[in-house]
Amino acid sequence: ELPALRVVCYGLGSIFASRNAQGQFALALLMAKGSLEVYDPVLQRDELEYLEEWGCRQAQPPETRVKEPTLFFMPHCPQEVYVAVLKANDLNDVVILGNSFESYARRLDVDPVIAAMTPSEMSCDPGPSDPDLERAFNDTSLLRFR
């Protein structure tokens, strides 16, 4: 069994309004084994209270450096959030489950910080066989920066 790992989730979205956010939250809870940190400016007070009932706590903003190995779960975050995490941290301590950097590299508007990265990348995209999962996890990859 894997040891407990610090899991920080950015960009979850509204868990009361979005079915995608609900699926992403369920996966984040499983990965965090009940010790999940969440940060998203769109979350309302009642959603934050609900997250607290599940044992979650408010995470620091993406510009904050982590002091231990951390899995960042960043479903469908904008590039700016990825750039903030990458700039703030020692990449040996960071694993990201989020948007594919290979997909970003094909864009004309890719941020130079992301374009300069060459992480090991494993696709986790479930594909169109399950429309609910596909919408929640499309273009998702596991990114490691060693």
Side-chain angles (χ1 to χ4, degrees), residues 51-124:
L51 290 170
E52 285 177 15
E53 290 175 18
W54 280 94
C56 301
R57 62 179 205 239
Q58 185 81 14
Q60 296 296 314
E63 302 80 20
T64 307
R65 182 179 184 86
V66 297
K67 294 178 175 51
E68 67 270 3
T70 302
L71 170 65
F72 288 97
F73 181 43
M74 302 171 61
H76 307 302
C77 284
Q79 286 187 81
E80 298 80 34
V81 179
Y82 286 89
V83 170
V85 167
L86 294 170
K87 283 183 168 182
N89 291 287
D90 176 346
L91 297 182
N92 288 321
D93 290 337
V94 171
V95 174
I96 295 175
L97 181 59
N99 298 345
S100 166
F101 277 29
E102 291 175 3
S103 291
Y104 274 136
R106 292 191 293 271
R107 295 182 182 180
L108 296 176
D109 63 342
V110 64
D111 187 284
V113 171
I114 292 174
M117 295 289 156
T118 55
S120 297
E121 182 167 331
M122 181 176 70
S123 177
C124 301

Coordinates of all heavy atoms in Angstrom, one line a residue, residues 51-124:
L51 N -17.0 20.8 2.1 CA -15.6 20.2 1.9 C -15.0 19.9 3.3 O -14.4 18.9 3.5 CB -14.7 21.1 1.1 CG -15.1 21.2 -0.4 CD1 -14.2 22.3 -1.0 CD2 -14.8 19.9 -1.1
E52 N -15.2 20.8 4.3 CA -14.7 20.6 5.6 C -15.3 19.4 6.3 O -14.7 18.6 7.0 CB -15.0 21.8 6.5 CG -14.1 23.0 6.2 CD -14.4 24.2 7.0 OE1 -15.1 24.2 8.0 OE2 -13.9 25.3 6.6
E53 N -16.6 19.1 6.0 CA -17.3 17.9 6.5 C -16.6 16.7 6.0 O -16.7 15.6 6.7 CB -18.8 17.9 6.2 CG -19.6 19.0 6.9 CD -21.0 19.1 6.4 OE1 -21.5 18.1 5.7 OE2 -21.7 20.1 6.7
W54 N -16.0 16.7 4.9 CA -15.3 15.6 4.3 C -13.8 15.5 4.7 O -13.0 14.7 4.2 CB -15.4 15.6 2.7 CG -16.7 15.1 2.2 CD1 -17.8 15.8 1.9 CD2 -17.0 13.8 2.0 NE1 -18.8 15.0 1.5 CE2 -18.4 13.7 1.5 CE3 -16.3 12.6 2.1 CZ2 -19.0 12.5 1.2 CZ3 -17.0 11.4 1.8 CH2 -18.3 11.4 1.4
G55 N -13.5 16.4 5.6 CA -12.1 16.4 6.1 C -11.1 17.3 5.3 O -9.9 17.2 5.5
C56 N -11.6 18.0 4.4 CA -10.8 18.9 3.5 C -10.5 20.2 4.2 O -11.2 20.6 5.1 CB -11.5 19.2 2.2 SG -11.9 17.7 1.3
R57 N -9.4 20.8 3.9 CA -9.1 22.1 4.4 C -8.7 23.0 3.2 O -8.3 22.5 2.1 CB -8.0 22.0 5.5 CG -6.7 21.5 5.0 CD -5.7 21.5 6.2 NE -4.4 21.6 5.7 CZ -3.5 20.7 5.9 NH1 -3.7 19.7 6.7 NH2 -2.3 20.8 5.4
Q58 N -8.7 24.3 3.5 CA -8.4 25.3 2.5 C -6.9 25.2 2.2 O -6.1 25.3 3.1 CB -8.8 26.7 3.0 CG -8.6 27.8 2.0 CD -9.7 27.9 1.0 OE1 -10.8 27.3 1.2 NE2 -9.5 28.6 -0.1
A59 N -6.5 25.1 0.9 CA -5.1 25.1 0.5 C -4.6 26.5 0.3 O -5.4 27.5 0.2 CB -5.0 24.4 -0.8
Q60 N -3.3 26.7 0.3 CA -2.7 28.0 0.0 C -2.9 28.2 -1.5 O -3.0 27.3 -2.2 CB -1.2 28.0 0.4 CG -1.0 27.8 1.9 CD -1.6 29.0 2.7 OE1 -1.4 30.2 2.3 NE2 -2.3 28.7 3.7
P61 N -2.8 29.5 -1.9 CA -2.9 29.8 -3.3 C -1.7 29.1 -4.1 O -0.7 28.7 -3.5 CB -2.8 31.3 -3.4 CG -3.1 31.8 -2.1 CD -2.7 30.7 -1.1
P62 N -1.9 29.0 -5.4 CA -0.9 28.2 -6.3 C 0.5 28.8 -6.2 O 1.5 28.2 -6.5 CB -1.4 28.3 -7.7 CG -2.9 28.7 -7.5 CD -3.0 29.4 -6.2
E63 N 0.7 30.1 -5.8 CA 2.0 30.7 -5.8 C 2.8 30.3 -4.6 O 3.9 30.8 -4.4 CB 1.8 32.3 -5.8 CG 1.1 32.8 -7.0 CD -0.4 32.7 -6.8 OE1 -1.0 32.6 -5.7 OE2 -1.1 32.8 -7.9
T64 N 2.2 29.5 -3.7 CA 2.9 29.1 -2.5 C 3.7 27.9 -2.6 O 3.3 26.9 -3.2 CB 1.8 28.8 -1.4 OG1 0.9 29.9 -1.3 CG2 2.4 28.5 -0.1
R65 N 5.0 28.0 -2.1 CA 5.9 26.9 -2.2 C 5.5 25.8 -1.2 O 5.2 26.0 -0.1 CB 7.3 27.4 -1.9 CG 8.4 26.3 -2.0 CD 9.8 26.9 -1.7 NE 10.8 25.9 -1.9 CZ 11.4 25.7 -3.1 NH1 11.0 26.3 -4.1 NH2 12.3 24.7 -3.1
V66 N 5.6 24.5 -1.7 CA 5.4 23.4 -0.8 C 6.7 22.9 -0.2 O 7.7 23.1 -0.8 CB 4.7 22.2 -1.5 CG1 3.3 22.6 -2.0 CG2 5.5 21.7 -2.6
K67 N 6.6 22.4 1.0 CA 7.9 22.0 1.7 C 8.1 20.5 1.7 O 9.0 20.0 2.3 CB 7.9 22.6 3.1 CG 8.0 24.1 3.1 CD 7.9 24.7 4.5 CE 8.1 26.1 4.6 NZ 7.3 26.9 3.7
E68 N 7.2 19.7 1.2 CA 7.3 18.3 1.1 C 6.7 17.8 -0.2 O 6.0 18.5 -0.9 CB 6.5 17.6 2.3 CG 5.0 17.8 2.2 CD 4.5 19.0 2.9 OE1 5.3 19.8 3.4 OE2 3.3 19.2 2.9
P69 N 7.0 16.6 -0.6 CA 6.5 16.0 -1.9 C 5.0 16.1 -1.9 O 4.3 15.8 -0.9 CB 7.0 14.6 -1.9 CG 8.2 14.6 -1.0 CD 7.9 15.6 0.0
T70 N 4.5 16.6 -3.0 CA 3.1 16.9 -3.1 C 2.5 16.5 -4.5 O 3.2 16.8 -5.5 CB 2.8 18.5 -2.9 OG1 3.3 18.8 -1.6 CG2 1.4 18.8 -3.0
L71 N 1.4 15.9 -4.5 CA 0.6 15.7 -5.7 C -0.4 16.8 -5.9 O -1.2 17.1 -5.0 CB -0.2 14.3 -5.6 CG -1.2 14.1 -6.7 CD1 -0.4 13.9 -8.1 CD2 -2.0 12.9 -6.4
F72 N -0.2 17.5 -6.9 CA -1.2 18.6 -7.3 C -2.2 18.0 -8.3 O -1.8 17.5 -9.3 CB -0.5 19.8 -7.9 CG 0.4 20.6 -7.0 CD1 1.7 20.4 -6.9 CD2 -0.2 21.6 -6.2 CE1 2.5 21.1 -6.0 CE2 0.5 22.3 -5.3 CZ 1.9 22.1 -5.2
F73 N -3.4 18.0 -7.9 CA -4.5 17.6 -8.7 C -5.1 18.9 -9.3 O -5.7 19.7 -8.5 CB -5.5 16.8 -8.0 CG -6.7 16.3 -8.8 CD1 -6.5 15.7 -10.1 CD2 -8.0 16.3 -8.3 CE1 -7.5 15.3 -10.8 CE2 -9.0 15.8 -9.1 CZ -8.8 15.3 -10.3
M74 N -5.0 19.1 -10.6 CA -5.4 20.4 -11.2 C -6.2 20.1 -12.4 O -5.8 20.4 -13.6 CB -4.1 21.1 -11.6 CG -3.2 21.4 -10.3 SD -1.6 22.0 -10.7 CE -2.0 23.6 -11.5
P75 N -7.5 19.6 -12.2 CA -8.3 19.3 -13.4 C -8.8 20.6 -14.1 O -9.4 21.4 -13.5 CB -9.5 18.6 -12.8 CG -9.5 19.1 -11.4 CD -8.1 19.4 -11.0
H76 N -8.3 20.7 -15.3 CA -8.8 21.8 -16.2 C -8.5 23.2 -15.7 O -9.2 24.1 -16.0 CB -10.3 21.6 -16.5 CG -10.6 20.3 -17.1 ND1 -10.1 19.7 -18.2 CD2 -11.5 19.3 -16.6 CE1 -10.5 18.5 -18.4 NE2 -11.4 18.2 -17.4
C77 N -7.3 23.3 -15.0 CA -6.9 24.7 -14.6 C -6.4 25.4 -15.8 O -5.8 24.9 -16.7 CB -5.8 24.6 -13.5 SG -6.3 24.1 -11.9
P78 N -6.5 26.8 -15.7 CA -5.9 27.6 -16.8 C -4.3 27.5 -16.6 O -3.8 27.2 -15.6 CB -6.4 29.0 -16.5 CG -7.0 29.0 -15.2 CD -7.3 27.6 -14.8
Q79 N -3.7 27.8 -17.7 CA -2.2 27.8 -17.8 C -1.6 28.6 -16.6 O -0.6 28.2 -16.1 CB -1.7 28.3 -19.1 CG -1.8 27.5 -20.3 CD -1.1 28.0 -21.5 OE1 0.1 27.9 -21.6 NE2 -1.9 28.7 -22.3
E80 N -2.2 29.7 -16.3 CA -1.6 30.6 -15.3 C -1.4 29.9 -13.9 O -0.5 30.1 -13.2 CB -2.5 31.8 -15.0 CG -2.7 32.7 -16.3 CD -3.7 32.2 -17.3 OE1 -4.7 31.6 -16.9 OE2 -3.5 32.4 -18.5
V81 N -2.3 29.0 -13.6 CA -2.3 28.2 -12.3 C -1.1 27.3 -12.4 O -0.3 27.1 -11.4 CB -3.6 27.5 -12.0 CG1 -3.5 26.7 -10.7 CG2 -4.7 28.5 -11.9
Y82 N -0.9 26.6 -13.5 CA 0.2 25.7 -13.7 C 1.5 26.5 -13.6 O 2.5 26.0 -12.9 CB 0.2 25.0 -15.1 CG -0.9 23.9 -15.1 CD1 -2.2 24.2 -15.5 CD2 -0.6 22.6 -14.7 CE1 -3.2 23.2 -15.5 CE2 -1.5 21.6 -14.8 CZ -2.8 21.9 -15.1 OH -3.8 20.9 -15.1
V83 N 1.6 27.6 -14.2 CA 2.8 28.4 -14.2 C 3.2 28.8 -12.8 O 4.3 28.8 -12.3 CB 2.7 29.6 -15.1 CG1 3.8 30.6 -14.9 CG2 2.6 29.2 -16.6
A84 N 2.1 29.2 -12.0 CA 2.4 29.6 -10.6 C 2.9 28.5 -9.8 O 3.9 28.7 -9.0 CB 1.1 30.1 -10.0
V85 N 2.4 27.3 -10.0 CA 2.9 26.1 -9.2 C 4.3 25.8 -9.7 O 5.2 25.5 -8.8 CB 1.9 24.9 -9.5 CG1 2.6 23.6 -9.0 CG2 0.6 25.1 -8.8
L86 N 4.6 25.8 -10.9 CA 5.9 25.5 -11.4 C 7.0 26.4 -11.0 O 8.1 26.1 -10.6 CB 5.9 25.4 -13.0 CG 5.0 24.3 -13.6 CD1 4.9 24.4 -15.1 CD2 5.6 22.9 -13.2
K87 N 6.6 27.7 -11.0 CA 7.6 28.8 -10.6 C 7.8 28.7 -9.1 O 8.9 29.0 -8.6 CB 7.1 30.1 -11.0 CG 7.2 30.5 -12.4 CD 6.8 31.9 -12.7 CE 7.2 32.4 -14.1 NZ 6.7 33.8 -14.3
A88 N 6.9 28.4 -8.3 CA 7.0 28.4 -6.8 C 7.7 27.3 -6.2 O 8.1 27.3 -5.1 CB 5.6 28.6 -6.2
N89 N 7.8 26.2 -6.9 CA 8.3 24.9 -6.3 C 9.5 24.3 -6.9 O 9.8 24.5 -8.0 CB 7.1 23.9 -6.3 CG 6.0 24.3 -5.5 OD1 6.1 24.2 -4.3 ND2 4.9 24.8 -6.1
D90 N 10.2 23.5 -6.0 CA 11.2 22.6 -6.5 C 10.5 21.5 -7.2 O 9.8 20.7 -6.6 CB 12.0 22.1 -5.2 CG 13.1 21.1 -5.6 OD1 13.1 20.6 -6.7 OD2 13.9 20.8 -4.7
L91 N 10.8 21.3 -8.5 CA 10.0 20.3 -9.3 C 10.3 18.9 -8.9 O 9.6 18.0 -9.2 CB 10.3 20.6 -10.7 CG 9.8 22.0 -11.2 CD1 10.0 22.1 -12.7 CD2 8.4 22.2 -10.9
N92 N 11.4 18.6 -8.1 CA 11.6 17.3 -7.6 C 10.6 16.9 -6.6 O 10.4 15.7 -6.3 CB 13.0 17.2 -7.0 CG 14.1 17.2 -8.0 OD1 13.9 16.6 -9.1 ND2 15.2 17.8 -7.7
D93 N 9.9 17.9 -6.0 CA 8.8 17.6 -5.0 C 7.4 17.6 -5.5 O 6.5 17.5 -4.8 CB 8.9 18.7 -3.9 CG 10.2 18.5 -3.0 OD1 10.7 17.4 -3.0 OD2 10.6 19.5 -2.4
V94 N 7.3 17.8 -6.9 CA 6.0 18.0 -7.5 C 5.6 16.9 -8.5 O 6.4 16.5 -9.3 CB 6.0 19.4 -8.2 CG1 4.7 19.5 -9.0 CG2 6.2 20.5 -7.2
V95 N 4.4 16.4 -8.3 CA 3.8 15.5 -9.3 C 2.5 16.2 -9.6 O 1.8 16.7 -8.7 CB 3.6 14.1 -8.8 CG1 2.8 13.3 -9.8 CG2 4.9 13.4 -8.6
I96 N 2.1 16.3 -10.9 CA 0.8 16.9 -11.2 C -0.1 15.9 -12.0 O 0.4 15.2 -12.9 CB 1.0 18.1 -12.1 CG1 1.8 19.2 -11.4 CG2 -0.3 18.7 -12.7 CD1 2.1 20.5 -12.2
L97 N -1.3 15.8 -11.5 CA -2.3 15.1 -12.3 C -3.2 16.2 -12.8 O -3.9 16.9 -12.1 CB -3.1 14.1 -11.4 CG -4.2 13.3 -12.1 CD1 -3.6 12.5 -13.2 CD2 -5.0 12.5 -11.1
G98 N -3.1 16.5 -14.1 CA -3.8 17.6 -14.7 C -3.7 17.6 -16.2 O -3.6 16.6 -16.8
N99 N -3.8 18.8 -16.7 CA -3.8 19.0 -18.2 C -2.5 18.5 -18.8 O -1.4 18.7 -18.3 CB -4.0 20.4 -18.6 CG -5.3 21.0 -18.1 OD1 -6.2 20.3 -17.7 ND2 -5.4 22.3 -18.0
S100 N -2.6 17.9 -20.0 CA -1.5 17.3 -20.7 C -0.6 18.5 -21.2 O -1.0 19.4 -21.8 CB -1.9 16.5 -21.9 OG -0.9 16.3 -22.8
F101 N 0.7 18.4 -20.8 CA 1.7 19.4 -21.3 C 1.9 19.2 -22.8 O 2.3 20.1 -23.5 CB 3.0 19.4 -20.5 CG 2.9 20.2 -19.2 CD1 1.7 20.4 -18.5 CD2 4.0 20.8 -18.7 CE1 1.6 21.1 -17.4 CE2 3.9 21.5 -17.5 CZ 2.7 21.7 -16.9
E102 N 1.8 18.0 -23.3 CA 2.0 17.7 -24.7 C 0.9 18.4 -25.5 O 1.1 19.0 -26.6 CB 1.9 16.2 -25.0 CG 3.1 15.5 -24.5 CD 3.0 13.9 -24.6 OE1 2.0 13.4 -25.2 OE2 4.0 13.3 -24.2
S103 N -0.4 18.5 -25.0 CA -1.4 19.2 -25.6 C -1.1 20.7 -25.6 O -1.4 21.4 -26.5 CB -2.8 18.9 -24.9 OG -3.2 17.6 -25.2
Y104 N -0.6 21.2 -24.4 CA -0.3 22.6 -24.3 C 0.8 23.0 -25.4 O 0.7 24.0 -26.0 CB 0.3 23.0 -23.0 CG -0.8 23.3 -21.9 CD1 -0.7 22.8 -20.6 CD2 -1.8 24.2 -22.2 CE1 -1.6 23.1 -19.7 CE2 -2.7 24.5 -21.2 CZ -2.6 24.0 -20.0 OH -3.5 24.3 -19.0
A105 N 1.7 22.1 -25.6 CA 2.8 22.4 -26.5 C 2.3 22.5 -28.0 O 3.0 23.2 -28.8 CB 3.9 21.2 -26.5
R106 N 1.2 22.0 -28.3 CA 0.6 22.1 -29.6 C -0.1 23.4 -29.8 O -0.6 23.7 -31.0 CB -0.3 20.9 -29.9 CG 0.5 19.6 -30.1 CD -0.3 18.5 -30.6 NE -1.4 18.0 -29.7 CZ -1.3 17.1 -28.8 NH1 -0.1 16.5 -28.7 NH2 -2.3 16.8 -28.0
R107 N -0.3 24.1 -28.8 CA -1.1 25.4 -28.9 C -0.2 26.5 -29.3 O 1.0 26.6 -29.0 CB -1.7 25.8 -27.5 CG -2.7 24.8 -27.0 CD -3.3 25.3 -25.7 NE -4.2 24.4 -25.1 CZ -4.9 24.6 -24.0 NH1 -4.6 25.7 -23.3 NH2 -5.7 23.7 -23.6
L108 N -0.8 27.5 -30.0 CA -0.1 28.7 -30.4 C 0.1 29.6 -29.2 O 1.1 30.4 -29.2 CB -0.9 29.4 -31.5 CG -1.0 28.7 -32.8 CD1 -1.8 29.5 -33.8 CD2 0.4 28.3 -33.4
D109 N -0.7 29.5 -28.2 CA -0.7 30.5 -27.1 C -0.1 29.9 -25.8 O -0.4 30.3 -24.7 CB -2.1 31.1 -26.8 CG -3.1 30.0 -26.3 OD1 -2.8 28.8 -26.6 OD2 -4.1 30.3 -25.7
V110 N 0.8 28.8 -26.0 CA 1.3 28.2 -24.8 C 2.3 29.1 -24.0 O 3.0 29.9 -24.7 CB 2.1 26.9 -25.2 CG1 3.3 27.1 -26.0 CG2 2.4 26.1 -23.9
D111 N 2.1 29.1 -22.7 CA 3.0 30.0 -21.9 C 4.5 29.5 -22.0 O 4.7 28.3 -22.0 CB 2.5 29.9 -20.4 CG 3.3 30.8 -19.6 OD1 4.4 30.5 -19.2 OD2 2.7 31.9 -19.2
P112 N 5.4 30.4 -22.1 CA 6.8 30.0 -22.2 C 7.3 29.1 -21.1 O 8.2 28.2 -21.3 CB 7.6 31.3 -22.3 CG 6.6 32.3 -22.6 CD 5.3 31.8 -22.2
V113 N 6.8 29.3 -19.9 CA 7.2 28.4 -18.8 C 6.8 27.0 -19.0 O 7.6 26.0 -18.8 CB 6.7 28.9 -17.4 CG1 6.9 27.9 -16.3 CG2 7.2 30.3 -17.1
I114 N 5.6 26.8 -19.5 CA 5.1 25.4 -19.8 C 5.8 24.9 -21.0 O 6.2 23.7 -21.0 CB 3.6 25.5 -20.0 CG1 2.9 25.7 -18.6 CG2 3.1 24.1 -20.6 CD1 1.4 25.9 -18.7
A115 N 6.1 25.7 -22.0 CA 6.7 25.2 -23.2 C 8.1 24.7 -22.9 O 8.6 23.8 -23.6 CB 6.8 26.4 -24.3
A116 N 8.8 25.3 -21.9 CA 10.2 24.9 -21.6 C 10.2 23.6 -20.8 O 11.3 23.0 -20.6 CB 10.8 26.0 -20.8
M117 N 9.1 23.1 -20.3 CA 9.1 21.9 -19.5 C 9.0 20.7 -20.3 O 8.3 20.6 -21.3 CB 7.8 21.9 -18.6 CG 7.8 23.0 -17.5 SD 9.0 22.7 -16.3 CE 9.3 24.3 -15.7
T118 N 9.7 19.6 -19.9 CA 9.6 18.3 -20.5 C 9.4 17.3 -19.5 O 10.3 16.4 -19.2 CB 10.9 18.1 -21.3 OG1 12.0 18.2 -20.5 CG2 11.0 19.0 -22.5
P119 N 8.3 17.2 -18.8 CA 8.0 16.2 -17.8 C 7.8 14.9 -18.4 O 7.5 14.7 -19.6 CB 6.7 16.7 -17.2 CG 6.0 17.4 -18.2 CD 7.1 18.1 -19.1
S120 N 8.0 13.8 -17.6 CA 7.5 12.5 -18.0 C 6.0 12.6 -17.9 O 5.5 13.1 -16.9 CB 8.1 11.4 -17.0 OG 9.4 11.4 -17.0
E121 N 5.4 12.1 -19.0 CA 3.9 12.3 -19.0 C 3.3 11.0 -19.4 O 3.7 10.3 -20.3 CB 3.6 13.3 -20.1 CG 2.1 13.6 -20.2 CD 1.8 14.9 -20.9 OE1 2.6 15.8 -21.0 OE2 0.7 14.9 -21.5
M122 N 2.2 10.6 -18.6 CA 1.4 9.4 -18.8 C 0.0 9.8 -18.9 O -0.6 10.4 -18.0 CB 1.6 8.4 -17.7 CG 0.8 7.1 -17.9 SD 1.1 5.9 -16.6 CE 0.3 6.6 -15.2
S123 N -0.6 9.6 -20.1 CA -2.0 9.9 -20.3 C -2.9 9.1 -19.4 O -2.8 7.9 -19.2 CB -2.4 9.7 -21.7 OG -3.8 10.0 -21.9
C124 N -3.9 9.9 -18.8 CA -4.9 9.2 -18.0 C -6.3 9.6 -18.5 O -7.3 9.4 -17.8 CB -4.8 9.8 -16.5 SG -3.2 9.5 -15.8

